[in-house]
Amino acid sequence: MNNHALVPVGVLGASGYVGQELLRLLAGHPGASVAFATADSAAGQVIAGQRLIRVDDAPLASAELVLSCLPHGVSGRYVRDVRAAGRRAVDLSADSRLSPDAVYGLTEFARPRVAQAQLVANPGCYPTAALLALLPLAQQGLIDDTREIVIDAASGVTGAGRNPKRELLFGEVAEDFRAYAAGNTHRHLPELRAALEREGKFTGDVVFTPHLLPVKRGILETIHVPLTRPLDRAAAEALYDVAYRGEPCVQVLHDALPALRDVVYRNRVALGVIPVADVRRPRLTVIAAIDNLVKGAAGQAVQNMNLMLGLPETAGLVC
Amino acid sequence: MNNHALVPVGVLGASGYVGQELLRLLAGHPGASVAFATADSAAGQVIAGQRLIRVDDAPLASAELVLSCLPHGVSGRYVRDVRAAGRRAVDLSADSRLSPDAVYGLTEFARPRVAQAQLVANPGCYPTAALLALLPLAQQGLIDDTREIVIDAASGVTGAGRNPKRELLFGEVAEDFRAYAAGNTHRHLPELRAALEREGKFTGDVVFTPHLLPVKRGILETIHVPLTRPLDRAAAEALYDVAYRGEPCVQVLHDALPALRDVVYRNRVALGVIPVADVRRPRLTVIAAIDNLVKGAAGQAVQNMNLMLGLPETAGLVC
Amino acid sequence: MNNHALVPVGVLGASGYVGQELLRLLAGHPGASVAFATADSAAGQVIAGQRLIRVDDAPLASAELVLSCLPHGVSGRYVRDVRAAGRRAVDLSADSRLSPDAVYGLTEFARPRVAQAQLVANPGCYPTAALLALLPLAQQGLIDDTREIVIDAASGVTGAGRNPKRELLFGEVAEDFRAYAAGNTHRHLPELRAALEREGKFTGDVVFTPHLLPVKRGILETIHVPLTRPLDRAAAEALYDVAYRGEPCVQVLHDALPALRDVVYRNRVALGVIPVADVRRPRLTVIAAIDNLVKGAAGQAVQNMNLMLGLPETAGLVC
Amino acid sequence: MNNHALVPVGVLGASGYVGQELLRLLAGHPGASVAFATADSAAGQVIAGQRLIRVDDAPLASAELVLSCLPHGVSGRYVRDVRAAGRRAVDLSADSRLSPDAVYGLTEFARPRVAQAQLVANPGCYPTAALLALLPLAQQGLIDDTREIVIDAASGVTGAGRNPKRELLFGEVAEDFRAYAAGNTHRHLPELRAALEREGKFTGDVVFTPHLLPVKRGILETIHVPLTRPLDRAAAEALYDVAYRGEPCVQVLHDALPALRDVVYRNRVALGVIPVADVRRPRLTVIAAIDNLVKGAAGQAVQNMNLMLGLPETAGLVC
């Protein structure tokens, strides 16, 4: 593939952890090149070979597609500018995720819609792992909606952003572990619920509790699923095998449970299941692991971008 | 207090993480002195000022009380030797925990029995945190036993012992996080269930999933409790305040949730609660944090020892 | 010792890492009590049982002695206020360290002067370790001053303070290691040189390079000393044994080198030595380890305070 | 490039950290494919898509080139078997590094010899960083050989291998830092000295002290160089710029010093320099950083393999 074939893409908000990861992935992408990258506070700096400019100076129309890693509450406005300039967009912020104008880009469940989309709302990191774990069960009607799904999720600190805050200092986070936004107060929950209903027809209760892990990257979710009927381990694994047959970015483990190190630096979700012994009603524990910066953000954005541009879906990605 | 007043105590199995912590605590204890400490593989070495001897060389009768940190499956035998020598014992292994001859030493719920006991079975680290979190609710009949209690627990690696295993190498654990013994297969679960029934009359289902944290010490448990009736946050906190009024080793947080750094190096459980929003039936999330080596093992053992010897309950402990 | 015997002391600047450590140590001190503790940004908060007040509200005269953990450049002014109020002071900042009005409080080398001092300048963390390692050699004229002493020092991040800075975020520091202030540009170097000359008559060259370690606390210094004559390991160890005989806070290792875990949470320097093989001229490598927050700051301050107040030197300290 | 063009290569010893990294790199290599990979204890397991076989079952002749990650003391024997089978080899162990039959594969200084070699001895991780830092100065006669070069090196734990040892457990290494093999006793030193003399004509003294860092991967070396004449920072940087002009795997920093995060997961050495102020004789501090598993082992082996096979030098590598 020669240089003339590279599709020019733009990146808004490139100095945070997600933006940096996106530049890193695009730097090694065989089919796209970075037309511009913005970062107001870091304008003038060079990251991954790219000199950053101010967002208001971005030549939006010089790109065929623009990916926005701007903060929630800011991103939406610039995504509208991109659309107004006649360009397609992937919004990695939460701003477009509940919007009817955007395709919710959980790639494995939205492939044809993403390919045609003018605007893709890239899913949140926590919902990405939870949905990939739950939708195969939900679509088979296997989740008992009279009982609650309980999700305990733990994320590396890059998920909390790169702005200096005392509670994110190494001296505070190292050797620590804590829950936050407990009691169903995390802003990812409505997004998760909406997608569970839309894609899985599931309208039951969900309890979602995120935790802050003393690691740089990675999300592990331990998902407690009440079942409508018993599933042994082989049957549960087979169900996931079927649901994800041929999927390049989903790894279904057999007789094993995933760990962060199975997924970091990869655009992959790893899934493992085990039935729960010694309880009266059938339950399945599903463990899902992703890299919050890759499959949970920049990697999935590239996966969606590839589909939108007609490139091979995993171009530039290690799955 | 002069030196003649120090009560001689013995330590079996002093080279592991729990044994080392116990020696450290006893070295600073104002009312007890170490008569002997054993460690077969490390015999001859000096830890915390104490020269280690072989367990079969231990002069059991030279101590008034013996604490055993020997491994599960080995400890029970030596504890019987201690009893046969006419000495009282605290067994930190699992061997005595389901035995009718031992008092289960969850101090806050067994104070008078511990004081009189010839043999105290020191609780497991995971059950200690879970029971201190759940018993106040169970004793008030607030837990809906038609639904499952879900406990996701995460422990620092010292909980897995000090024997060299590949999966515990720094190169494997750092930047990683994983579940283990999922599906209700952990050996602490029967102990937890038995105590919930005995002390709390709770016989409902429990789902317990431990995880391995990349930290040295500390356990955090996120405990999802189905309630028989709604409790707002203030009411839930008040309930714990009453249950633990005057307890020196229990910290009930208000409008906050505990983290590992609130408890490491302390003989303390920290508890925080929050009701779950946006679910149809009442639920409470309870977070409990302890240091697995202190309140989860050596510290609680000293607390129990103090009671048995008539010493101030927190002598030698930082709570 | 009953409560009336507790000496009231004040703490200025109690919300940083050093201030917190100082409050922790004082909370367990058998002979002193905290009369007040200040922290402007955290005024009103409670740390270690102490409600923080604003520094300008501090009732300086209510304390017999005031310890200042205020930042460099600020501390000196408040220390003057303390002195003007007729109270003795320990200044943990760098402000008093080169002042003729203060006693430089490297306890082991300044004990009688500290006991009588009105103002003690508590040494910097890096100089504390370096001086305790070098002075025994310097005082014996064993350091070849025609060659350079090379010191590579590595510190945990609490040494860099608790103010939020991007470069101190967990996401930046974890899995990283770097030098900083290389090329002899660190502000601790003049302090180190002055004390080497004053206490050790050493006026040769020193190369000092600090590094940032991905740990919370601890300093390890690898000190390369050119010798005037060869010393084998036993002779070098004997020299340190003699120099530090009876010192409660100095541990001289034999046939071993110290690590951070030998010293963290302790008011101790651990020293180990090894001659360098396969070089033409005699050299000794000295490794010194301290906890930057304890022997490198708050612990040594308490050690000095104890001397000033006529209390046992290690009261309230674990050495 | 179609599949028929892939050169078959073999890997001996694929279950350790270096072997795993090598399989990871080869899995994404555009010009080579893995013909076989061995690992006795892990035979039958699949790593990076490759089923491991026993080393004695390896069909050596099925590969055009064999890379050995076997342990020191074992590797040499199998490398001889490879050569006897008429195949070229890269020995990542120390076994061939001092052998006259092997080309010492510090790529940047041995490119033409490597391209022609039948057997390449891949350099040790510590010498790789030290030599790339020192040879430009040595080749210009800038190092004062009447004074000692002092090297303090710090490595992540993967450098110590993957065999279970207590001192490498997470519970021991986390929050710790220590020197080891001090006093010039590390086995990499003769290799370093031989190469300094061979490539740089430097025969002066070297003091080398390695340290164990609580990180997974990365080596940082702080190298204290006595100079024959003063060099300011710009002049020193210019010297390195010239020495490494066009080198794809060497990054010379300007007005900055490298950190581990500049190099991990990359086949790159990053170099930064700063003159030392306030000393009587001229000195330069050079900081070198590499990923011990990449440029310090598997990556440099692939770089050498590429040269031997006539492939683009950085094929399959991120520099």
Side-chain angles (χ1 to χ4, degrees), chain A residues 15 17 20 41-42 157-158 161-166 168-176 213-216, chain C residues 15 17 20 41-42 157-158 161-166 168-176 213-216:
Chain A
S15 64
Y17 288 121
Q20 287 187 3
S41 63
V157 293
T158 52
R162 209 171 161 226
N163 287 327
K165 294 179 189 164
R166 176 169 287 183
L168 299 178
L169 292 178
F170 185 94
E172 310 291 305
V173 173
E175 296 287 310
D176 197 24
L213 266 180
V215 306
K216 293 174 75 160
Chain C
S15 64
Y17 288 122
Q20 286 186 3
S41 64
V157 294
T158 51
R162 207 168 164 230
N163 287 327
K165 295 179 189 164
R166 177 170 286 184
L168 299 179
L169 291 179
F170 185 93
E172 309 290 306
V173 173
E175 293 290 308
D176 197 22
L213 268 179
V215 305
K216 295 174 75 161

Side-chain angles (χ1 to χ4, degrees), chain C residues 21-108:
Chain C
E21 187 74 9
L22 185 55
L23 285 189
R24 186 181 72 82
L25 292 173
L26 291 173
H29 198 290
S33 67
V34 178
F36 59 82
T38 81
D40 281 18
S41 64
Q45 290 183 16
V46 175
I47 297 186
Q50 196 67 32
R51 183 166 303 273
L52 304 178
I53 60 174
R54 294 184 59 252
V55 63
D56 289 324
D57 298 340
L60 298 177
S62 70
E64 278 199 28
L65 184 149
V66 174
L67 303 112
S68 171
C69 309
L70 291 168
H72 310 304
V74 175
S75 185
R77 178 157 54 92
Y78 286 95
V79 165
R80 281 191 293 278
D81 289 351
V82 171
R83 297 289 305 117
R87 294 297 181 264
R88 300 165 83 188
V90 179
D91 186 352
L92 286 85
S93 85
D95 287 359
S96 305
R97 288 185 200 148
L98 300 175
S99 156
D101 296 334
V103 170
Y104 186 73
L106 187 71
T107 322
E108 286 72 16

Side-chain angles (χ1 to χ4, degrees), chain A residues 219-232:
Chain A
I219 283 178
L220 191 99
E221 301 192 9
T222 299
I223 304 177
H224 304 278
V225 186
L227 295 178
T228 52
R229 60 177 176 81
L231 279 179
D232 65 20

